[in-house]
Amino acid sequence: MLTRNLGQALAALIAALIVAANVASAQSPALDPKEAAAAKTEAVQQRVQPLNNQPVWKEVRSGAPQVTTVTGRETNVLVLPQGQTWRAARNDLVSLGGLLLAIAVGALAVFYLLRGTMAVAVKPGDRVIERFTPPDRYAHWLLAIVWVTLAITGLVLSLGKTVLLPLIGYTLFSWLATVAKNLHNFIGPILIIAVPWMFVRFVRHNGIGIEDLRWFANIIGYFKGHEYPSGKFNAGEKLVFWLVLVVFSTVLVVTGLILVFPNFDQSRSTMQLANVVHMIAAYLAIALACVHIYLGTVGMDGAYRAMRDGYVDASWAQHHHQHWYEDVVAGKAREKFVQPETVVAHGQMPRSRAA
Ligand code: HEM
């Protein structure tokens, strides 16, 4: 009886194994010898030279259809061949961008050590001009705060792995990168409002003419303290307006939206292109913005006060923006002299009096 039961159990087990083997062979087709040889070569290469697996990438780049369960635009594309090209281009761009920024910041530091803050002697009893109205300043500071936050968080994401990770370690860097990524993604779209608002408020003083070329021809004089006369904004400021604000910021907004909303059926190659353009625009714009921020703070006395409180001394205006100063004196400019009492009433002492 026991022998018969054992015999039945053994027969059932053998039958189950045969069925399982048939099912498995039906699901995974046998490799043909060529494929088997290729897989073997790939496996060997992976062991011998893991970072240079030519057979794998040759197959990936062949574009031969694969099988995925993902639905949508790029179904059955396991690895995008141009993803490798994008990655290589991106890594080169990060290095070049980092170098550009280091040169810009280094050059400004050297210039500051040699030249110090560029200052204008304020005459006693000097009059004060309201250079920027509150709406001008609100538009500028909304843009500046959002833009600088995006620049810093963008740099953490782009250069952080190379520069910060070795310094602060994985735990802190992963927190920092997560915060940077979320801030970057969530505040980026604010530029859709901030850039046009700034454009509308400042465009009337940023027309370009032959005098701007002359100003650039005399750029050495600018840094030596002998400025070529300019209107409300000089040619350097107009460059910031047209390049950093209009061209680069618009490019950054458009490419940023393509990257942050991947749900509009854009392909991965579109996003890779958007990423490369986003990076080029960002590094060039940040390098120029460094010069702008330097001149707007420690580089030039009186400039920051103009954007913080709105006021400049007449001697500042005459020295830095002679044509604009003459228009204010002649009553032709929108900006007017203000009484020192008004300035004091707003809590801002004119420099000539505060001294
Ligand atoms: C902390 C950051 C910043 C500081 C301290 C700063 C400072 C200043 C100052 C002091 C002025 C007035 C200059 C004058 O009176 O002639 C100014 C003007 C201006 N700023 Fe900024 N700024 C900053 C960020 C930015 C950014 C990120 C942008 C552009 C994306 C920008 C675009 C402009 C423009 C367009 C003007 C008007 C001058 C022109 O039309 O070129 N600023 N800024």
Side-chain angles (χ1 to χ4, degrees), residues 131-132 140-141 143-144 147-148 198 202 206 233 237-238 240-241 244 292-293 296-297 303-304 306-307 316 321:
R131 183 163 167 78
F132 298 117
H140 178 268
W141 288 123
L143 178 79
W147 208 97
V148 171
M198 180 79 186
F202 284 77
N206 279 286
F233 295 125
E237 290 175 299
K238 290 178 185 177
V240 171
F241 180 87
V244 182
H292 172 73
I293 293 169
T297 51
Y304 183 70
M307 202 36 106
W316 185 95
H321 301 279

Side-chain angles (χ1 to χ4, degrees), residues 166-250:
L167 293 175
I168 62 176
Y170 282 97
T171 311
L172 198 54
F173 180 67
S174 84
W175 276 97
L176 191 66
T178 309
V179 170
K181 175 93 193 109
N182 283 311
L183 263 180
H184 201 83
N185 287 355
F186 280 98
I187 68 167
I190 300 176
L191 287 189
I192 297 172
I193 298 162
V195 171
W197 189 20
M198 180 79 186
F199 177 84
V200 167
R201 293 224 61 92
F202 284 77
V203 67
R204 75 168 71 90
H205 298 290
N206 279 286
I208 300 173
I210 191 77
E211 284 294 277
D212 295 308
L213 290 181
R214 298 202 176 107
W215 188 92
F216 269 118
N218 189 50
I219 186 103
I220 308 276
Y222 173 79
F223 290 112
K224 283 186 170 167
H226 315 291
E227 286 186 38
Y228 190 81
S230 66
K232 181 164 179 177
F233 295 125
N234 62 41
E237 290 175 299
K238 290 178 185 177
L239 193 79
V240 171
F241 180 87
W242 288 108
L243 267 189
V244 182
L245 180 77
V246 179
V247 177
F248 290 144
S249 296
T250 307

